[in-house]
Amino acid sequence: MGQPQIDLSPKVSDEVRQTTCYMCACRCGINVHLRDGRIRYIEGNRDHPVNRGVLCAKGSAGIMQHYSPARLSKPLMRVGERGAGEFREIEWDEALALATDWLRPIRERDPKKLAFFTGRDQSQALTGWWAQQFGTPNFAAHGGFCSVNMATAGIYTFGGSFWEFGEPDWERARYLMIFGVAEDHDSNPIKIGLSKLRAHGAKIVGVNPVRTGYNAIADEWIGITPGTDGLFVLAIVHELLRTGRIDRDYLARYTNAAWLVIQDPDGTEDGLFARDAEGVPLVFDEAAGGLAPHKSAGAKVRLEGEVALPDGRRAVPVFALLSAKYAAPDYAPERAAEPTGVPAATIRRIAEELARTAFEEEIVLARPWTDWKGERHETMIGRPVAFHAMRGISAHSNGFQTCRSLHLLQILLGSIDCPGGFRFQPPYPKPAEAHPRPAGNAKPNTPLAGSPLGYPLGPEHLLLEADGVTPQRIDKAYSWEAPLSAHGLMQMVIANAAAGDPYEIDVLFLYMANMAWNSSMNTAGTMAMLTAKRPDGEYVIPKIIYSDAYASEMVAYADLILPDTTYLERHDCISLLDRPISDADVAADAIRWPVLQPDRDVRGFQSVLIDLGARLGLPGFVDADGKAKYRDYADYIVNHERKPGIGPLAGFRGNGSDAGRGSPNPSQLDRYVENGGFWTAHIPDEALYFKHANAAYQDWAVGMGLYDSPQPVVFQLYLEPLAKFRLAARGKSSPQPPDHIRPVIERCFDPLPTWYPPFEGDRLDQRGETGFPFHAITQRPMAMYHSWGSQNAWLRQIHARNALYVPGALCDELGLATGDWVWLSSHHARIKVQIARMDATNGKTVWTWNAIGKRSGAWGLSPDAPEAEKGFLVNHLIRELLPEQGDGLRWANADPITGQAAWFDLRVNIETAEAEPAATEPRFAVQRRVAGQPASPAQLRYGQEW
């Protein structure tokens, strides 16, 4: 007899359901393995366009996020003092009725008295539209304190940006520079991409004050001083211009380098573009011997020299201004070396390596294409140098101009959306002109005329009261204090509301925004603001509604808690209208869907918001009879149309075969589920590169519903909107800024990328305060993301505490060793922390991992959990306002152009602290638990209790 056949195939699950991860903003595809209705494990989906099966520690630990003991389980209403964490459980009908009762009178009287701000929200197409229909301009998500400089500088300069809007050409790049990139953002695609670069021998250069993660595997690490990246980049630009190693043909074809800038210091158009009668910018066409619209096909444009305009005024091309500016000694490598900490010889060598790779390793693809002017090209020319950057260069008060400087460098090398360079991801590129202007002028019972967020093109688009000075928004976005604040200023909402500046609000409505801890500057001050009372005993911020899935620190400060589901229990829409997951070759969107049903009395926030919209009778949320238009978020995803044929999801429209445009398909979500939770559409080969100017791409994008009409992008080396603000500050146009803002605009709003020292250090230097000589920054580790990860049983075993990493030379100078306790102080506060020696960091910089420190008792953790006893936040040291300078004004600690929170401008001092008690300070009262029980790091395994 033969041997019995034994089935050795793994039987680890009864069912696999495919959805989208939410453990960071990467939005990878995952396979969720289930048995008996519980999760067994999570793995990557090999067919998913984002991660191709790769999954990080966060994604794999999603099981522990779902079974977290910190999960909220019931709607809650506050019964004690704010901050005490005393609540009573209520039913959903009562909770929604209460929220409606609080919100309805605001809409009837003054909609802007509602401040609706969301944190790591991946449904901003819905939340922003809800705010618009309610009628409040006071809406934004977390981008204002994350990386708005990155997005805004990119959109204004070349119609796209890094990360979600574009990526390096991982297949063809030969030289990659990464700036300020930590391990948490876009981690799996970057890891896949870096492995490809390694495989074909590309050089990787990491520019970051700290050598961790991607910088640790780079061929070369440049440990730059925080806040000086822009000066470093412009010194490279100086060298490229000095040696003539730039792509002049690329500049002439695709940028505004040839556009003529009016030179009339006494006039009202000085610094603006010379235009024809139709408003089209003019160039000098050497072939025709005269002025011509820049759109003229076949023009041979002049990049240098002065031109006389028909009215007698002088004008010069942008490139002439650019060349003169960066040829100045201020941008020479020798001048940049000391502030940046990068030797002049290194700057010159990097410039030479970039130029050699771009021009001597040129890529030529035999792929004919036609540009938007109708000119035919037989080949696609590639410059195989690529760049990627993130929050490290963005979160500074000079971050907007730093980001623009990096884009200028890319453009001079001709490396944007060419083979080997940076590549756009659909639906980008989109010029700033194609984005909406921000809408304000709130009126009772009336939707806003457009989106609360947008891209101003000049002072005329600011949201100001009739006096031309007073901000309409509570965060002062789109005011003279932050004109181009495309993502709002979330970090200023509570501080401004508490100060009644520019006015008081009635309700603060937050979603997934841990503003009482990890997401606030001046953490102790913010907690005090949330509990501050008027002389009559009423809270300064009268009502706070908060929605979250977990018992974060913010929960204790809310009056009404609307408990959210976990990401495995709800529908979500990863939309091309919002946060796309496309790559450079493919347009893509995706969904989440309930792979498990909630075992608690919780509801997905998006469905709750839709319910509230119907209860309030908001236009678009009710039909002609006043009845709810959408059953829930899933119904909204399928049936909502922003325009005829354009909905939240682009795939499987109409009868299921339409893509991009098409009528609603009742089976659309089922089709997504069948397809692994995502949809893709490949870009035609002819349209893969030069999307900003490629007629084939523009036509494809119109057909897909990404644009209504072709939107070619001319890269803006010189940014005219900034010139308009300068004219206003000089008294040449209206409205005009208040006097105290004029010097800031004059200094910072240069239409060409510029560099100025970060504000906090500059102001301390002006005050003669030399006691804070070091820089302090934070990074997020690959295994954590915001506050979520450090309450996760598996991830806590990787990071349950954090240390302050101190350069070795500084340790020697101060007599410090790993494990010692120090006081870390800023102009605002001080904290007691434990240090670790580290040599792979900029010599003037101390740093730590962010988001690990927790308030005792929060997140379902034990009061003595290491996250509370040994973990800490640098946030305590950072104030939302700059150091006082005796003028009585409240200056935001932010970029003056966009309002980006300047987290990384922090200056500190270090002093030895007593070893006992062996715990971090400051200490706060133990937060009362409102859900769940504390969990040890290994209490749960595969969704089961051990």
Side-chain angles (χ1 to χ4, degrees), residues 336-391:
E338 195 283 326
T340 64
V342 184
T346 300
I347 296 173
R348 287 197 185 88
R349 176 176 54 78
I350 294 292
E352 194 280 330
E353 289 175 357
L354 288 169
R356 184 176 69 247
T357 306
F359 302 117
E360 296 179 22
E361 299 185 34
E362 175 182 272
I363 296 171
V364 180
L365 299 183
R367 189 175 296 176
W369 66 286
T370 302
D371 68 29
W372 66 281
K373 293 181 181 180
E375 296 179 358
R376 186 71 172 169
H377 307 267
E378 296 305 315
T379 61
M380 291 182 170
I381 305 297
R383 308 291 179 205
V385 292
F387 299 85
H388 186 69
M390 207 51 218
R391 189 187 303 108

Side-chain angles (χ1 to χ4, degrees), residues 810-843:
L810 184 56
C811 286
D812 294 339
E813 178 184 337
L814 300 177
L816 296 174
T818 295
D820 286 350
W821 290 87
V822 300
W823 287 107
L824 188 69
S825 58
S826 71
H827 75 93
H828 173 62
R830 72 174 189 166
I831 58 177
K832 180 184 173 184
V833 300
Q834 208 164 13
I835 74 149
R837 182 187 181 108
M838 182 177 179
D839 291 313
T841 184
N842 173 274

Side-chain angles (χ1 to χ4, degrees), residues 427 661 696-708:
R661 299 178 184 269
Y697 177 79
Q698 296 288 319
D699 291 343
W700 178 85
V702 170
M704 290 295 299
L706 306 183
Y707 313 147
D708 287 336

Side-chain angles (χ1 to χ4, degrees), residues 582-610:
S582 306
D583 65 33
D585 297 333
V586 170
D589 60 17
I591 66 166
R592 296 185 187 92
W593 59 284
V595 299
L596 291 166
Q597 292 301 313
D599 58 0
R600 308 163 320 287
D601 193 11
V602 297
R603 298 182 184 179
F605 174 73
Q606 292 79 8
S607 290
V608 169
L609 199 63
I610 287 168

Side-chain angles (χ1 to χ4, degrees), residues 518-839:
N518 187 66
S519 293
S520 67
M521 295 173 157
N522 185 14
T523 305
T526 300
M527 289 186 277
M529 296 172 201
L530 291 169
T531 56
K533 292 185 177 181
R534 300 189 182 99
D536 63 3
E538 296 297 317
Y539 287 109
V540 172
I541 301 176
K543 297 287 189 296
I544 300 177
I545 304 173
Y546 185 54
S547 180
D548 203 322
Y550 306 101
S552 71
E553 286 87 353
M554 183 62 208
V555 166
Y557 293 87
D559 304 307
L560 177 63
I561 305 295
L562 306 175
D564 193 16
T565 62
T566 73
Y567 70 101
L568 298 174
E569 299 171 320
R570 65 166 178 259
H571 281 97
D572 269 335
C573 178
I574 299 97
S575 173
L576 285 165
L577 300 176
D578 195 353
R579 308 288 298 275
I581 60 164
S582 306
D583 65 33
D585 297 333
V586 170
D589 60 17
I591 66 166
R592 296 185 187 92
W593 59 284
V595 299
L596 291 166
Q597 292 301 313
D599 58 0
R600 308 163 320 287
D601 193 11
V602 297
R603 298 182 184 179
F605 174 73
Q606 292 79 8
S607 290
V608 169
L609 199 63
I610 287 168
D611 190 335
L612 285 173
R615 289 170 184 254
L616 292 165
L618 302 186
F621 289 87
V622 293
D623 59 21
D625 298 325
K627 296 180 180 178
K629 190 171 182 179
Y630 304 109
R631 181 178 61 256
D632 53 20
Y633 190 38
D635 191 29
Y636 167 93
I637 292 171
V638 170
N639 291 304
H640 177 72
E641 291 182 284
R642 192 57 54 91
K643 300 173 183 176
I646 304 293
L649 291 173
F652 311 113
R653 301 193 65 81
N655 62 6
S657 61
D658 292 342
R661 299 178 184 269
S663 59
N665 173 16
S667 301
Q668 187 180 38
L669 292 179
D670 293 335
R671 293 294 305 276
Y672 270 84
V673 171
E674 294 166 4
N675 198 54
F678 65 92
W679 162 88
T680 59
H682 286 266
I683 302 169
D685 286 349
E686 184 183 359
L688 285 174
Y689 291 100
F690 301 100
K691 298 182 182 75
H692 53 281
N694 191 322
Y697 177 79
Q698 296 288 319
D699 291 343
W700 178 85
V702 170
M704 290 295 299
L706 306 183
Y707 313 147
D708 287 336
S709 60
Q711 299 286 349
V713 182
V714 178
F715 299 158
Q716 300 294 296
L717 304 176
Y718 181 98
L719 193 54
E720 189 181 51
L722 295 185
K724 291 181 178 180
F725 282 102
R726 271 193 166 177
L727 279 175
R730 293 170 179 173
K732 301 295 180 64
S733 65
S734 294
Q736 293 185 15
D739 288 343
H740 68 278
I741 297 289
R742 294 178 196 266
V744 177
I745 293 177
E746 188 65 36
R747 181 188 188 195
C748 304
F749 285 53
D750 193 321
L752 289 170
T754 190
W755 183 82
Y756 49 86
F759 285 171
E760 179 172 312
D762 199 32
R763 184 163 290 192
L764 290 173
D765 292 343
Q766 290 175 18
R767 289 175 20 172
E769 296 191 30
T770 58
F772 306 102
F774 310 114
H775 300 264
I777 62 172
T778 62
Q779 292 194 157
R780 291 201 178 95
M782 195 171 289
M784 297 293 178
Y785 192 67
H786 291 267
S787 300
W788 310 340
S790 51
Q791 51 98 14
N792 183 293
W794 285 359
L795 299 179
R796 292 181 69 210
Q797 296 178 73
I798 302 174
H799 297 284
R801 55 179 295 186
N802 54 314
L804 180 73
Y805 294 98
V806 179
L810 184 56
C811 286
D812 294 339
E813 178 184 337
L814 300 177
L816 296 174
T818 295
D820 286 350
W821 290 87
V822 300
W823 287 107
L824 188 69
S825 58
S826 71
H827 75 93
H828 173 62
R830 72 174 189 166
I831 58 177
K832 180 184 173 184
V833 300
Q834 208 164 13
I835 74 149
R837 182 187 181 108
M838 182 177 179
D839 291 313

